[in-house]
Amino acid sequence: MEYGIIMPVKMQELQKFEHFIDTCGKCGDCASAGTQATTAKRHVDKPCPVKTVLGFEAFSARGRILVLKNILSGKLKVTKDILDWAYSCTTCGSCKETCLAVDGGIDTPSMMEALRHDLVENGITMDKHKDIVASILKNNNPYGEPATKRMDFFKGKNYTKHADTLLFLGCTASFREPQIALNAVALLEKLGIPYALLDDEGCCGSILKRCGYVKEFDANTKRNIDAFRASGAKTIVFTCAGCYRTFKKDFTLPSDVNVRFLHITEFLDEYLKTHPSQFKFKRHARISYHDPCHLGRHAGVYEAPRSLLKNIGNATFIELDTSRNYSHCCGSGGGVKSSNPDLAKQIAASRNAEAASKQVEILISACPFCEKNLRDGLDGLASKLRVADISEILLETSPETLKSHIGACGPSGVEPSIGAKYMEYLAKYPEIFSDLVQGSIMDFTIYNTITDMENKCEPVEAFNVSRSEIGISMNIGRADNADLELALSVKAVEKLTRCPTKSEYAQQFGKFYNEPDEIEGWIDFVLNKRTKTLIKMGYGKFAETAGILEDEDQV
């Protein structure tokens, strides 16, 4: 459609929000800094990312509501400038967090989406969006890529097509940020989590919904529901916050499709509570988390990603000044990345500057769109900042796959001794020693009674465990220069070797040390180095897990 000076438009969707438009008290908390203590929920510095960059009142929620009111009244007609303005809102929802006009705040993002819906229905669209919509309908992705190339990043690797857990990768990870998809897959495999992928995964349709193409979104929804039904999956896990928000909030599932929608951070946080694993940076890192708007404000997921990141060892977690529901937007949502990429980049640069001001080294997000746009916005003080997706960081810091080697334990065909059985058990769980630095070595001595140990009698058996670059090595006898000696009763060893997991092993280990009993079992230590030295060598982590050392940082 050609854009004249004046264009009559029917505003059926926007009309539904007229009451909320009239409710706005024009206080300005959404527009500036929330400094009016009597009305603002809290002090939020520059809540609107678009106004922060462009500066004009029309781009704040208060200004947008005034413009919408004048459009509805007919005082303001739709022109090309109004069209561009309509698609300059990231629909992040930050303005709602400072608004007290109604419970939950005036929903300006929904009003902007209603306006876009009306514009599309009247044939008033942006050329850039026409191409995106056409590609989604034809190719099942917004990037103009043939649908047959969706799994090209997998490079022929086989994958399961049916499992209880279906991993939904999303278009951005599949076509533009393939490393995010590969990291998510590698992480699930490393943790031993079965998963399936769709052969014909389609676009979630988020950009259709956000940009006002509601009819096209509804048609796309049916295609996705059919795919979920055919998969037989019980849980759909999303790497993309935008996909997750769309399925979680914009979908209405029919009664015959019974699935759970989880973002990968929720899924992993839930899984690791029953399957604990230790993540650790090789070099100390100052890390922070950027809340994606679709995952945080829109879907209420704040704790899961933080729980995962705070579980990573050798890192300092730093909250940005604006976080959780008050987090600043990355700048790429609401179709802004496609309609106004320069604006999106400027908003990202502003967010990166926040992280740089806190001396953050790695800014981590949980959305491919956020990750890409924040990376595009690296500039100035933030140029040395590393931007990463949470799957990348978790894979990078995940426990090493350690190998184990046992030296000669005795002649074959003979019932293995208690020491040999213990070594075989430890060989199955080398991750028990994963926190030890290379070169660490410890003696294991097994006694019948505490008296035998205290009187320095010869143990029933003795062996040593040394930590190398690739794993652990166990050999009969004491080492020449062991860091410490771990003395155990026969009963303790018998019970420890029946523990099915590292966590249960640690729990039982701590009980034998904290509550020693001649009949039930006991454990004791003989330290050959200073306690602080041993902690620096990694011994403190297991001791803390076992409840032997309450807080190694205080030692």
Side-chain angles (χ1 to χ4, degrees):
M1 177 180 285
E2 296 296 325
Y3 302 100
I5 300 300
I6 297 177
M7 193 175 297
V9 177
K10 294 181 180 179
M11 293 291 173
Q12 294 180 348
E13 294 301 318
L14 184 58
Q15 192 76 38
K16 298 174 183 177
F17 291 89
E18 189 169 14
H19 169 70
F20 293 104
I21 291 174
D22 292 335
T23 302
C24 177
K26 316 299 185 296
C27 69
D29 287 348
C30 59
S32 54
T35 54
Q36 298 179 40
T38 56
T39 59
K41 292 179 182 178
R42 58 155 280 180
H43 180 85
V44 185
D45 186 40
K46 302 174 182 177
C48 179
V50 179
K51 182 182 182 294
T52 297
V53 171
L54 299 181
F56 296 103
E57 176 71 12
F59 296 104
S60 71
R62 177 173 64 177
R64 289 185 186 278
I65 289 173
L66 286 170
V67 172
L68 293 173
K69 184 173 184 176
N70 283 303
I71 290 175
L72 279 178
S73 68
K75 293 180 180 178
L76 189 62
K77 306 303 180 184
V78 175
T79 64
K80 181 65 167 60
D81 287 341
I82 290 293
L83 178 67
D84 291 338
W85 169 86
Y87 286 98
S88 66
C89 176
T90 65
T91 66
C92 70
S94 178
C95 53
K96 290 177 61 180
E97 299 302 325
T98 62
C99 178
L100 282 174
V102 297
D103 187 29
I106 294 177
D107 193 355
T108 305
S110 290
M111 286 191 275
M112 294 306 298
E113 288 187 9
L115 171 65
R116 294 171 183 181
H117 185 183
D118 286 329
L119 292 175
V120 170
E121 287 298 298
N122 283 271
I124 305 170
T125 58
M126 301 190 78
D127 290 339
K128 293 178 181 179
H129 291 160
K130 289 179 184 177
D131 294 338
I132 290 172
V133 173
S135 180
I136 292 174
L137 298 179
K138 178 183 177 181
N139 304 312
N140 247 340
N141 71 81
Y143 296 113
E145 302 283 358
T148 54
K149 290 189 175 183
R150 180 174 283 272
M151 300 302 289
D152 279 6
F153 69 91
F154 240 47
K155 298 180 179 178
K157 179 181 176 180
N158 293 325
Y159 54 87
T160 303
K161 300 176 184 179
H162 296 283
D164 286 346
T165 300
L166 176 67
L167 183 62
F168 193 95
L169 299 172
C171 297
T172 302
S174 296
F175 291 104
R176 291 295 180 266
E177 300 291 318
Q179 200 56 49
I180 290 178
L182 291 170
N183 287 336
V185 165
L187 183 60
L188 294 186
E189 291 179 351
K190 192 167 186 180
L191 294 173
I193 302 174
Y195 68 93
L197 297 175
L198 288 174
D199 263 340
D200 55 349
E201 180 183 291
C203 179
C204 72
S206 175
I207 196 166
L208 296 174
K209 181 74 170 176
R210 307 286 84 81
C211 292
Y213 293 83
V214 176
K215 291 179 181 177
E216 291 81 356
F217 174 78
D218 291 341
N220 193 68
T221 296
K222 183 180 183 304
R223 182 168 54 189
N224 282 315
I225 289 175
D226 290 342
F228 293 157
R229 182 186 290 110
S231 74
K234 297 178 181 177
T235 303
I236 316 291
V237 177
F238 301 93
T239 62
C240 175
C243 294
Y244 171 75
R245 185 253 193 254
T246 302
F247 285 106
K248 188 83 171 180
K249 298 200 70 175
D250 298 323
F251 266 53
T252 300
L253 289 173
S255 58
D256 65 324
V257 181
N258 185 23
V259 296
R260 279 201 313 162
F261 294 139
L262 292 176
H263 187 265
I264 193 168
T265 56
E266 295 177 291
F267 178 78
L268 291 174
D269 186 48
E270 186 177 287
Y271 177 83
L272 291 171
K273 280 182 169 62
T274 55
H275 302 77
S277 189
Q278 291 185 334
F279 297 81
K280 183 180 181 180
F281 280 101
K282 291 182 179 178
R283 182 185 66 82
H284 184 270
R286 292 172 59 85
I287 64 175
S288 190
Y289 177 67
H290 164 77
D291 289 276
C293 303
H294 284 152
L295 187 61
R297 273 188 292 269
H298 294 201
V301 178
Y302 298 110
E303 298 307 324
R306 284 173 171 79
S307 174
L308 292 170
L309 294 176
K310 290 177 181 179
N311 187 46
I312 301 177
N314 204 21
T316 300
F317 183 83
I318 302 164
E319 283 284 8
L320 298 182
D321 289 337
T322 59
S323 63
R324 299 178 185 268
N325 56 318
Y326 297 107
S327 176
H328 281 162
C329 176
C330 79
S332 65
V336 172
K337 186 67 173 176
S338 58
S339 62
N340 198 333
D342 290 338
L343 173 60
K345 184 177 177 180
Q346 287 177 283
I347 295 172
S350 177
R351 182 60 165 162
N352 289 334
E354 288 184 59
S357 70
K358 306 281 284 188
Q359 290 79 52
V360 171
E361 295 174 317
I362 309 175
L363 181 59
I364 303 163
S365 192
C367 173
F369 244 52
C370 290
E371 193 259 1
K372 185 179 189 310
N373 198 51
L374 289 170
R375 196 155 25 87
D376 290 344
L378 288 175
D379 196 11
L381 292 175
S383 60
K384 295 182 180 179
L385 179 71
R386 176 186 171 190
V387 174
D389 182 77
I390 195 166
S391 294
E392 175 187 349
I393 295 300
L394 291 175
L395 181 63
E396 178 184 315
T397 60
S398 60
E400 301 173 72
T401 303
L402 300 179
K403 297 181 179 180
S404 55
H405 172 264
I406 303 176
C409 295
S412 59
V414 177
E415 175 70 20
S417 65
I418 186 71
K421 289 180 179 178
Y422 197 8
M423 283 193 283
E424 289 174 2
Y425 174 84
L426 294 174
K428 292 180 182 178
Y429 300 98
E431 65 271 15
I432 290 172
F433 304 93
S434 61
D435 291 310
L436 298 183
V437 300
Q438 294 177 35
S440 301
I441 186 166
M442 58 191 301
D443 286 337
F444 284 72
T445 53
I446 305 172
Y447 293 90
N448 281 315
T449 67
I450 295 178
T451 303
D452 288 345
M453 183 202 70
E454 292 174 340
N455 291 337
K456 298 183 179 180
C457 298
E458 279 298 308
V460 174
E461 284 192 73
F463 64 91
N464 64 81
V465 178
S466 58
R467 177 76 159 85
S468 66
E469 182 179 357
I470 61 172
I472 61 170
S473 179
M474 291 175 281
N475 292 283
I476 293 293
R478 287 185 168 102
D480 291 334
N481 298 295
D483 306 320
L484 60 83
E485 177 184 334
L486 174 60
L488 311 90
S489 70
V490 171
K491 286 291 184 182
V493 173
E494 289 174 347
K495 292 181 179 179
L496 286 172
T497 53
R498 290 197 290 267
C499 293
T501 65
K502 176 184 175 180
S503 60
E504 289 186 40
Y505 175 89
Q507 185 179 9
Q508 187 69 68
F509 191 101
K511 182 178 180 181
F512 288 140
Y513 178 81
N514 293 318
E515 302 171 19
D517 185 273
E518 192 71 83
I519 298 175
E520 294 297 323
W522 55 266
I523 289 176
D524 204 353
F525 294 95
V526 177
L527 307 184
N528 299 325
K529 293 183 177 179
R530 296 175 66 244
T531 302
K532 286 188 176 181
T533 301
L534 292 172
I535 288 174
K536 289 180 180 179
M537 296 176 70
Y539 288 100
K541 283 296 181 183
F542 179 80
E544 189 176 349
T545 303
I548 297 171
L549 188 64
E550 289 188 1
D551 188 349
E552 66 174 68
D553 293 330
Q554 296 180 7
V555 176

